Amino acid sequence: MSKVQEGQGLGSWASLLATYKPRWSFSFLGTGFVLVWIQCILYARYIWVDSGLTTVAINFSRCACIVVLGAVALHKVFSSRTETMLGWASVALMTLGSLLFFVQALSPWLPFTTVAAICSGVGLAWSGGMWMKVYERLDIREALLHTFSSLSLSTLIGVFIAFVSEYIAFFISMLLPMMTFVMYKRATKVLDGRQSAGIALPPPRDDIYAEEPRRTSVRLAIGIALFSFVMGASRGFPFGTSIELVPVSQLVQHLGVAAIGLGIIWWTLVRGRRFRFSALWQAQLAALAVGVMLLSTLDPLAGQIGAMLIAITNLFQVAFLWFVSYDVARHRALPSYVVLGFFWIFHLFFRESGRLVMWWIGSSGGIEMMLVIAVMICLIAVSVGFLLTDALPGKRPLFAELCQCAKAAALDACEQEVAPGEHVENASHRQEPLRERFGLTQRETEVALLLAEGRSSTYIAGELYLSDNTVRSYVKNIYQKLGVHSKQDLIDFVKEL
């Protein structure tokens, strides 16, 4: 067993490179280019903390689309063909949104802003969500590596984006949607190839979080909503307008986020230290509170530092919530993009609501109101720190393989102490006759047993991380080897066996 499997550090960057380079692909960094597109469109290249009401409109459109997609996915899991169609639709809408924003910049009198915002928000809803289908096939350490590498890459590219002209940024944003979709398809093929070769197989999924009490979801939702509301209010603090960053602040912001992303990789994978949910939340809350306090001084230099801290926290939170969504999705029997949608709805809706509230209050309030709001923001930040702790969830700590906490160790020990008779029927006992007597491969056996449970081909494809075509090929082979001609024949065959 390697050091990384034991939960220890790899010791050096050279060891990290040697471990992951054989199975690495540049296409896995596609989420980083989605973030670059967001920088170009939603946040005005991070020259400002956001693009004001345009950013709000885009994200509210995004929320509406996420709700619709999530409701449909809960009713019926998307097929591979449907996912591909959604991918092409997102490319078209994001590209159209970028084009309309570009035309609007050239001709300010044209009424394209609202349509551009809706197209961008709706397209982005699936363009970001589809990448969870790639990440769910990675183990937690490889997922952490790609998440924070993508974050660092996006901010390093952001150094360039922030200093080019607005027109060049819009042109780049028109190319990025197609580029990210091509990278997504390439990443899927790479993972299919790895799986066929038996290299870095997808981690097993379970449904342990289904046993969590309802209050866990409520606490998570409230905690994320409060934090995001404070974030939105902070971005418009103190007078409701966007905060412009001077070039030096832009540079420090981008390099700072890149350093944080690489620092997390070094801390967790190279040194093998704890990656704790509560510690990262508290660090974000502290940065947010300090940023607001600096802005409330009305000193220009302190204001720049405060705005920079808020911008850094905002960008880091995107990667952090993504990784939280990934970890929850591995232990919940729901489509991974539905889990992601749960977190993103509370994040986006309440962040933009806070932005709107600050825009309304800031334009009419005085210094006294500003100080009251600053105190309220800090108090809410402290309350979120108490609400979201490592005791949540209770069945399994988030990032259990990385936090190396006592609860995770106790959970593993408990699982090891369960008597064999207390487990559900051991799958190996059901697989042996099919493999040995009828010549089925390991994967064909897994597909056959799921078919015997009445599962659909679409469900099997999602459960085993296969394409629909691959599942159909396995089913054909299974029918030939077992001499059956329908799913019902197979169910009866396995039952008799």
Short mmCIF file of all heavy atoms in Angstrom, two decimals, residues 305-353:
data_model
loop_
_atom_site.label_atom_id
_atom_site.label_comp_id
_atom_site.label_asym_id
_atom_site.label_seq_id
_atom_site.Cartn_x
_atom_site.Cartn_y
_atom_site.Cartn_z
N ILE A 305 -7.55 46.77 0.72
CA ILE A 305 -7.19 45.48 1.34
C ILE A 305 -8.46 44.70 1.69
O ILE A 305 -8.54 43.49 1.47
CB ILE A 305 -6.33 45.71 2.59
CG1 ILE A 305 -5.00 46.38 2.20
CG2 ILE A 305 -6.07 44.39 3.31
CD1 ILE A 305 -4.14 46.79 3.38
N GLY A 306 -9.46 45.41 2.23
CA GLY A 306 -10.71 44.75 2.58
C GLY A 306 -11.41 44.19 1.36
O GLY A 306 -11.90 43.05 1.38
N ALA A 307 -11.49 44.97 0.29
CA ALA A 307 -12.13 44.50 -0.94
C ALA A 307 -11.39 43.31 -1.52
O ALA A 307 -11.99 42.37 -2.05
CB ALA A 307 -12.19 45.63 -1.96
N MET A 308 -10.06 43.34 -1.42
CA MET A 308 -9.25 42.24 -1.93
C MET A 308 -9.51 40.95 -1.13
O MET A 308 -9.64 39.86 -1.70
CB MET A 308 -7.77 42.62 -1.85
CG MET A 308 -6.83 41.62 -2.47
SD MET A 308 -5.14 42.24 -2.42
CE MET A 308 -4.88 42.43 -0.64
N LEU A 309 -9.61 41.07 0.21
CA LEU A 309 -9.90 39.90 1.04
C LEU A 309 -11.27 39.30 0.69
O LEU A 309 -11.42 38.07 0.62
CB LEU A 309 -9.87 40.28 2.52
CG LEU A 309 -8.50 40.42 3.17
CD1 LEU A 309 -8.64 40.97 4.59
CD2 LEU A 309 -7.79 39.06 3.19
N ILE A 310 -12.24 40.16 0.46
CA ILE A 310 -13.59 39.69 0.11
C ILE A 310 -13.56 38.99 -1.24
O ILE A 310 -14.18 37.93 -1.42
CB ILE A 310 -14.57 40.86 0.11
CG1 ILE A 310 -14.79 41.37 1.54
CG2 ILE A 310 -15.91 40.46 -0.51
CD1 ILE A 310 -15.53 42.68 1.64
N ALA A 311 -12.85 39.55 -2.22
CA ALA A 311 -12.76 38.94 -3.54
C ALA A 311 -12.06 37.58 -3.47
O ALA A 311 -12.47 36.62 -4.13
CB ALA A 311 -12.02 39.87 -4.50
N ILE A 312 -10.99 37.48 -2.68
CA ILE A 312 -10.29 36.21 -2.51
C ILE A 312 -11.21 35.17 -1.88
O ILE A 312 -11.28 34.01 -2.32
CB ILE A 312 -9.02 36.42 -1.64
CG1 ILE A 312 -7.96 37.17 -2.44
CG2 ILE A 312 -8.46 35.06 -1.17
CD1 ILE A 312 -6.74 37.56 -1.61
N THR A 313 -11.94 35.58 -0.84
CA THR A 313 -12.85 34.65 -0.16
C THR A 313 -13.94 34.19 -1.11
O THR A 313 -14.32 33.00 -1.12
CB THR A 313 -13.49 35.33 1.07
OG1 THR A 313 -12.45 35.84 1.91
CG2 THR A 313 -14.33 34.34 1.86
N ASN A 314 -14.47 35.10 -1.91
CA ASN A 314 -15.53 34.76 -2.85
C ASN A 314 -15.07 33.71 -3.85
O ASN A 314 -15.79 32.73 -4.12
CB ASN A 314 -15.98 36.02 -3.59
CG ASN A 314 -17.07 35.74 -4.60
OD1 ASN A 314 -18.14 35.27 -4.25
ND2 ASN A 314 -16.80 36.03 -5.86
N LEU A 315 -13.87 33.86 -4.39
CA LEU A 315 -13.37 32.92 -5.38
C LEU A 315 -13.01 31.58 -4.73
O LEU A 315 -13.29 30.51 -5.29
CB LEU A 315 -12.15 33.51 -6.08
CG LEU A 315 -11.64 32.77 -7.33
CD1 LEU A 315 -12.77 32.54 -8.31
CD2 LEU A 315 -10.53 33.56 -7.99
N PHE A 316 -12.42 31.62 -3.55
CA PHE A 316 -12.05 30.37 -2.88
C PHE A 316 -13.30 29.58 -2.49
O PHE A 316 -13.32 28.35 -2.56
CB PHE A 316 -11.22 30.65 -1.63
CG PHE A 316 -10.90 29.41 -0.85
CD1 PHE A 316 -9.91 28.54 -1.28
CD2 PHE A 316 -11.60 29.08 0.30
CE1 PHE A 316 -9.62 27.37 -0.58
CE2 PHE A 316 -11.33 27.93 1.01
CZ PHE A 316 -10.32 27.07 0.57
N GLN A 317 -14.37 30.28 -2.10
CA GLN A 317 -15.58 29.60 -1.68
C GLN A 317 -16.16 28.75 -2.80
O GLN A 317 -16.74 27.69 -2.55
CB GLN A 317 -16.62 30.61 -1.20
CG GLN A 317 -17.83 29.94 -0.52
CD GLN A 317 -19.02 30.87 -0.40
OE1 GLN A 317 -19.17 31.81 -1.18
NE2 GLN A 317 -19.86 30.64 0.59
N VAL A 318 -16.01 29.18 -4.05
CA VAL A 318 -16.51 28.41 -5.18
C VAL A 318 -15.84 27.04 -5.23
O VAL A 318 -16.50 26.01 -5.35
CB VAL A 318 -16.26 29.18 -6.50
CG1 VAL A 318 -16.61 28.30 -7.70
CG2 VAL A 318 -17.10 30.46 -6.53
N ALA A 319 -14.50 27.01 -5.11
CA ALA A 319 -13.78 25.74 -5.14
C ALA A 319 -14.10 24.90 -3.90
O ALA A 319 -14.26 23.67 -3.99
CB ALA A 319 -12.28 25.99 -5.23
N PHE A 320 -14.20 25.54 -2.74
CA PHE A 320 -14.47 24.81 -1.51
C PHE A 320 -15.85 24.16 -1.54
O PHE A 320 -16.00 22.98 -1.21
CB PHE A 320 -14.36 25.75 -0.32
CG PHE A 320 -14.64 25.08 1.01
CD1 PHE A 320 -13.80 24.10 1.48
CD2 PHE A 320 -15.74 25.44 1.75
CE1 PHE A 320 -14.05 23.48 2.70
CE2 PHE A 320 -16.01 24.83 2.96
CZ PHE A 320 -15.16 23.84 3.44
N LEU A 321 -16.89 24.90 -1.96
CA LEU A 321 -18.23 24.32 -2.04
C LEU A 321 -18.30 23.22 -3.10
O LEU A 321 -19.03 22.25 -2.95
CB LEU A 321 -19.25 25.41 -2.36
CG LEU A 321 -19.78 26.22 -1.18
CD1 LEU A 321 -20.82 27.23 -1.66
CD2 LEU A 321 -20.39 25.33 -0.12
N TRP A 322 -17.53 23.38 -4.17
CA TRP A 322 -17.46 22.33 -5.18
C TRP A 322 -16.94 21.04 -4.55
O TRP A 322 -17.49 19.96 -4.78
CB TRP A 322 -16.56 22.77 -6.33
CG TRP A 322 -16.32 21.71 -7.36
CD1 TRP A 322 -15.35 20.75 -7.35
CD2 TRP A 322 -17.08 21.48 -8.55
NE1 TRP A 322 -15.46 19.94 -8.45
CE2 TRP A 322 -16.51 20.36 -9.20
CE3 TRP A 322 -18.18 22.11 -9.12
CZ2 TRP A 322 -17.00 19.87 -10.40
CZ3 TRP A 322 -18.67 21.61 -10.32
CH2 TRP A 322 -18.08 20.51 -10.95
N PHE A 323 -15.89 21.14 -3.78
CA PHE A 323 -15.29 19.96 -3.17
C PHE A 323 -16.21 19.35 -2.12
O PHE A 323 -16.28 18.13 -1.97
CB PHE A 323 -13.92 20.31 -2.57
CG PHE A 323 -13.07 19.11 -2.29
CD1 PHE A 323 -12.67 18.26 -3.30
CD2 PHE A 323 -12.67 18.81 -0.99
CE1 PHE A 323 -11.89 17.14 -3.05
CE2 PHE A 323 -11.89 17.71 -0.71
CZ PHE A 323 -11.50 16.87 -1.75
N VAL A 324 -16.92 20.19 -1.37
CA VAL A 324 -17.91 19.69 -0.41
C VAL A 324 -19.01 18.92 -1.16
O VAL A 324 -19.41 17.82 -0.74
CB VAL A 324 -18.53 20.85 0.40
CG1 VAL A 324 -19.72 20.36 1.22
CG2 VAL A 324 -17.49 21.47 1.33
N SER A 325 -19.48 19.48 -2.27
CA SER A 325 -20.52 18.82 -3.06
C SER A 325 -20.04 17.47 -3.58
O SER A 325 -20.78 16.48 -3.56
CB SER A 325 -20.92 19.71 -4.25
OG SER A 325 -21.36 20.97 -3.82
N TYR A 326 -18.81 17.43 -4.04
CA TYR A 326 -18.22 16.17 -4.52
C TYR A 326 -18.21 15.12 -3.42
O TYR A 326 -18.61 13.96 -3.63
CB TYR A 326 -16.80 16.42 -5.03
CG TYR A 326 -15.92 15.20 -4.99
CD1 TYR A 326 -15.96 14.25 -6.01
CD2 TYR A 326 -15.04 14.99 -3.91
CE1 TYR A 326 -15.16 13.11 -5.95
CE2 TYR A 326 -14.24 13.86 -3.86
CZ TYR A 326 -14.31 12.92 -4.87
OH TYR A 326 -13.52 11.80 -4.81
N ASP A 327 -17.77 15.49 -2.23
CA ASP A 327 -17.66 14.52 -1.14
C ASP A 327 -19.03 14.02 -0.70
O ASP A 327 -19.20 12.84 -0.41
CB ASP A 327 -16.92 15.16 0.05
CG ASP A 327 -16.48 14.12 1.06
OD1 ASP A 327 -15.93 13.07 0.65
OD2 ASP A 327 -16.71 14.32 2.27
N VAL A 328 -20.01 14.90 -0.65
CA VAL A 328 -21.37 14.47 -0.28
C VAL A 328 -21.95 13.57 -1.37
O VAL A 328 -22.58 12.55 -1.07
CB VAL A 328 -22.28 15.70 -0.06
CG1 VAL A 328 -23.73 15.26 0.13
CG2 VAL A 328 -21.81 16.49 1.16
N ALA A 329 -21.71 13.90 -2.63
CA ALA A 329 -22.26 13.12 -3.74
C ALA A 329 -21.74 11.68 -3.73
O ALA A 329 -22.46 10.76 -4.15
CB ALA A 329 -21.93 13.79 -5.07
N ARG A 330 -20.51 11.47 -3.26
CA ARG A 330 -19.97 10.10 -3.21
C ARG A 330 -20.71 9.22 -2.21
O ARG A 330 -20.64 8.00 -2.29
CB ARG A 330 -18.49 10.14 -2.81
CG ARG A 330 -17.57 10.77 -3.83
CD ARG A 330 -16.13 10.55 -3.45
NE ARG A 330 -15.88 10.95 -2.08
CZ ARG A 330 -15.12 10.27 -1.22
NH1 ARG A 330 -14.57 9.13 -1.59
NH2 ARG A 330 -14.92 10.71 0.01
N HIS A 331 -21.41 9.84 -1.27
CA HIS A 331 -22.07 9.09 -0.20
C HIS A 331 -23.56 9.37 -0.15
O HIS A 331 -24.17 9.32 0.91
CB HIS A 331 -21.40 9.42 1.14
CG HIS A 331 -19.94 9.10 1.15
ND1 HIS A 331 -19.45 7.82 1.27
CD2 HIS A 331 -18.85 9.90 1.00
CE1 HIS A 331 -18.13 7.84 1.22
NE2 HIS A 331 -17.74 9.10 1.06
N ARG A 332 -24.11 9.67 -1.33
CA ARG A 332 -25.56 9.90 -1.42
C ARG A 332 -26.03 9.33 -2.75
O ARG A 332 -25.46 9.63 -3.81
CB ARG A 332 -25.86 11.39 -1.35
CG ARG A 332 -27.33 11.72 -1.15
CD ARG A 332 -27.80 11.31 0.23
NE ARG A 332 -29.20 11.68 0.43
CZ ARG A 332 -30.24 10.89 0.13
NH1 ARG A 332 -30.02 9.70 -0.42
NH2 ARG A 332 -31.46 11.28 0.35
N ALA A 333 -27.05 8.48 -2.71
CA ALA A 333 -27.54 7.80 -3.91
C ALA A 333 -28.46 8.72 -4.72
O ALA A 333 -29.63 8.42 -4.94
CB ALA A 333 -28.27 6.52 -3.53
N LEU A 334 -27.93 9.85 -5.12
CA LEU A 334 -28.62 10.79 -5.98
C LEU A 334 -27.67 11.17 -7.11
O LEU A 334 -26.45 11.05 -6.96
CB LEU A 334 -29.01 12.06 -5.20
CG LEU A 334 -30.08 11.94 -4.12
CD1 LEU A 334 -30.16 13.22 -3.31
CD2 LEU A 334 -31.44 11.64 -4.75
N PRO A 335 -28.19 11.61 -8.26
CA PRO A 335 -27.28 12.11 -9.30
C PRO A 335 -26.37 13.20 -8.72
O PRO A 335 -26.84 14.07 -7.98
CB PRO A 335 -28.23 12.67 -10.36
CG PRO A 335 -29.50 11.91 -10.16
CD PRO A 335 -29.60 11.66 -8.69
N SER A 336 -25.10 13.13 -9.04
CA SER A 336 -24.13 14.03 -8.42
C SER A 336 -24.44 15.50 -8.72
O SER A 336 -24.22 16.37 -7.87
CB SER A 336 -22.71 13.69 -8.89
OG SER A 336 -22.64 13.68 -10.31
N TYR A 337 -24.99 15.78 -9.91
CA TYR A 337 -25.30 17.18 -10.21
C TYR A 337 -26.51 17.68 -9.43
O TYR A 337 -26.68 18.89 -9.26
CB TYR A 337 -25.49 17.40 -11.72
CG TYR A 337 -26.22 16.30 -12.45
CD1 TYR A 337 -27.61 16.17 -12.35
CD2 TYR A 337 -25.54 15.40 -13.24
CE1 TYR A 337 -28.28 15.17 -13.01
CE2 TYR A 337 -26.20 14.38 -13.92
CZ TYR A 337 -27.57 14.27 -13.80
OH TYR A 337 -28.23 13.26 -14.45
N VAL A 338 -27.35 16.77 -8.93
CA VAL A 338 -28.44 17.18 -8.04
C VAL A 338 -27.88 17.62 -6.70
O VAL A 338 -28.32 18.62 -6.11
CB VAL A 338 -29.46 16.04 -7.87
CG1 VAL A 338 -30.48 16.38 -6.79
CG2 VAL A 338 -30.18 15.76 -9.19
N VAL A 339 -26.91 16.87 -6.19
CA VAL A 339 -26.26 17.24 -4.93
C VAL A 339 -25.57 18.60 -5.09
O VAL A 339 -25.69 19.49 -4.23
CB VAL A 339 -25.23 16.18 -4.50
CG1 VAL A 339 -24.48 16.62 -3.25
CG2 VAL A 339 -25.93 14.84 -4.25
N LEU A 340 -24.86 18.78 -6.20
CA LEU A 340 -24.21 20.06 -6.46
C LEU A 340 -25.23 21.19 -6.53
O LEU A 340 -25.02 22.28 -5.98
CB LEU A 340 -23.44 19.99 -7.78
CG LEU A 340 -22.72 21.26 -8.22
CD1 LEU A 340 -21.56 21.57 -7.30
CD2 LEU A 340 -22.23 21.13 -9.67
N GLY A 341 -26.37 20.92 -7.17
CA GLY A 341 -27.41 21.93 -7.28
C GLY A 341 -27.95 22.36 -5.93
O GLY A 341 -28.25 23.54 -5.72
N PHE A 342 -28.06 21.41 -4.98
CA PHE A 342 -28.52 21.74 -3.63
C PHE A 342 -27.64 22.81 -3.00
O PHE A 342 -28.12 23.82 -2.47
CB PHE A 342 -28.53 20.48 -2.76
CG PHE A 342 -28.71 20.74 -1.28
CD1 PHE A 342 -29.98 20.92 -0.75
CD2 PHE A 342 -27.62 20.80 -0.43
CE1 PHE A 342 -30.15 21.17 0.61
CE2 PHE A 342 -27.78 21.04 0.93
CZ PHE A 342 -29.05 21.24 1.45
N PHE A 343 -26.33 22.61 -3.06
CA PHE A 343 -25.40 23.57 -2.46
C PHE A 343 -25.40 24.88 -3.23
O PHE A 343 -25.35 25.97 -2.63
CB PHE A 343 -23.99 22.97 -2.42
CG PHE A 343 -23.82 21.91 -1.38
CD1 PHE A 343 -23.89 20.56 -1.72
CD2 PHE A 343 -23.59 22.24 -0.06
CE1 PHE A 343 -23.74 19.58 -0.77
CE2 PHE A 343 -23.44 21.26 0.91
CZ PHE A 343 -23.52 19.92 0.55
N TRP A 344 -25.47 24.80 -4.56
CA TRP A 344 -25.33 26.03 -5.36
C TRP A 344 -26.57 26.91 -5.27
O TRP A 344 -26.46 28.12 -5.35
CB TRP A 344 -25.01 25.66 -6.81
CG TRP A 344 -23.70 26.24 -7.22
CD1 TRP A 344 -23.47 27.23 -8.12
CD2 TRP A 344 -22.41 25.89 -6.70
NE1 TRP A 344 -22.12 27.51 -8.20
CE2 TRP A 344 -21.46 26.69 -7.35
CE3 TRP A 344 -21.97 24.96 -5.76
CZ2 TRP A 344 -20.10 26.61 -7.09
CZ3 TRP A 344 -20.62 24.86 -5.49
CH2 TRP A 344 -19.71 25.69 -6.15
N ILE A 345 -27.74 26.31 -5.10
CA ILE A 345 -28.94 27.12 -4.95
C ILE A 345 -28.83 28.03 -3.73
O ILE A 345 -29.07 29.24 -3.79
CB ILE A 345 -30.19 26.22 -4.83
CG1 ILE A 345 -30.59 25.70 -6.21
CG2 ILE A 345 -31.36 26.96 -4.21
CD1 ILE A 345 -31.10 26.76 -7.15
N PHE A 346 -28.48 27.45 -2.59
CA PHE A 346 -28.38 28.25 -1.37
C PHE A 346 -27.22 29.25 -1.45
O PHE A 346 -27.31 30.36 -0.93
CB PHE A 346 -28.21 27.34 -0.15
CG PHE A 346 -29.46 26.60 0.21
CD1 PHE A 346 -29.67 25.30 -0.21
CD2 PHE A 346 -30.47 27.23 0.94
CE1 PHE A 346 -30.85 24.63 0.10
CE2 PHE A 346 -31.64 26.58 1.24
CZ PHE A 346 -31.84 25.26 0.83
N HIS A 347 -26.16 28.84 -2.12
CA HIS A 347 -25.01 29.74 -2.27
C HIS A 347 -25.36 30.94 -3.15
O HIS A 347 -25.20 32.11 -2.74
CB HIS A 347 -23.85 28.96 -2.87
CG HIS A 347 -22.71 29.80 -3.34
ND1 HIS A 347 -22.04 30.68 -2.51
CD2 HIS A 347 -22.13 29.92 -4.57
CE1 HIS A 347 -21.09 31.29 -3.20
NE2 HIS A 347 -21.13 30.86 -4.45
N LEU A 348 -25.89 30.69 -4.35
CA LEU A 348 -26.12 31.77 -5.30
C LEU A 348 -27.31 32.64 -4.92
O LEU A 348 -27.22 33.88 -4.97
CB LEU A 348 -26.35 31.18 -6.70
CG LEU A 348 -25.16 30.51 -7.37
CD1 LEU A 348 -25.58 29.87 -8.68
CD2 LEU A 348 -24.03 31.49 -7.61
N PHE A 349 -28.43 32.01 -4.56
CA PHE A 349 -29.63 32.78 -4.29
C PHE A 349 -29.42 33.76 -3.13
O PHE A 349 -29.76 34.95 -3.23
CB PHE A 349 -30.81 31.86 -3.98
CG PHE A 349 -32.09 32.60 -3.71
CD1 PHE A 349 -32.88 33.04 -4.75
CD2 PHE A 349 -32.49 32.87 -2.40
CE1 PHE A 349 -34.06 33.74 -4.50
CE2 PHE A 349 -33.66 33.57 -2.15
CZ PHE A 349 -34.45 34.00 -3.20
N PHE A 350 -28.83 33.28 -2.04
CA PHE A 350 -28.68 34.16 -0.88
C PHE A 350 -27.52 35.13 -1.04
O PHE A 350 -27.56 36.24 -0.50
CB PHE A 350 -28.54 33.31 0.39
CG PHE A 350 -29.83 32.69 0.83
CD1 PHE A 350 -30.15 31.40 0.45
CD2 PHE A 350 -30.74 33.41 1.57
CE1 PHE A 350 -31.35 30.83 0.81
CE2 PHE A 350 -31.95 32.84 1.95
CZ PHE A 350 -32.26 31.55 1.57
N ARG A 351 -26.51 34.76 -1.81
CA ARG A 351 -25.43 35.71 -2.05
C ARG A 351 -25.95 36.90 -2.85
O ARG A 351 -25.67 38.06 -2.52
CB ARG A 351 -24.28 35.03 -2.80
CG ARG A 351 -23.03 35.90 -2.89
CD ARG A 351 -21.94 35.23 -3.69
NE ARG A 351 -22.31 35.11 -5.09
CZ ARG A 351 -21.54 34.51 -6.00
NH1 ARG A 351 -20.41 33.95 -5.64
NH2 ARG A 351 -21.92 34.44 -7.26
N GLU A 352 -26.71 36.62 -3.91
CA GLU A 352 -27.22 37.72 -4.72
C GLU A 352 -28.33 38.49 -3.99
O GLU A 352 -28.51 39.69 -4.21
CB GLU A 352 -27.74 37.18 -6.06
CG GLU A 352 -26.69 36.45 -6.88
CD GLU A 352 -25.35 37.18 -6.95
OE1 GLU A 352 -25.35 38.42 -7.07
OE2 GLU A 352 -24.30 36.52 -6.87
N SER A 353 -29.06 37.80 -3.09
CA SER A 353 -30.05 38.51 -2.27
C SER A 353 -29.36 39.51 -1.35
O SER A 353 -29.80 40.65 -1.18
CB SER A 353 -30.87 37.52 -1.44
OG SER A 353 -31.63 36.67 -2.28
#
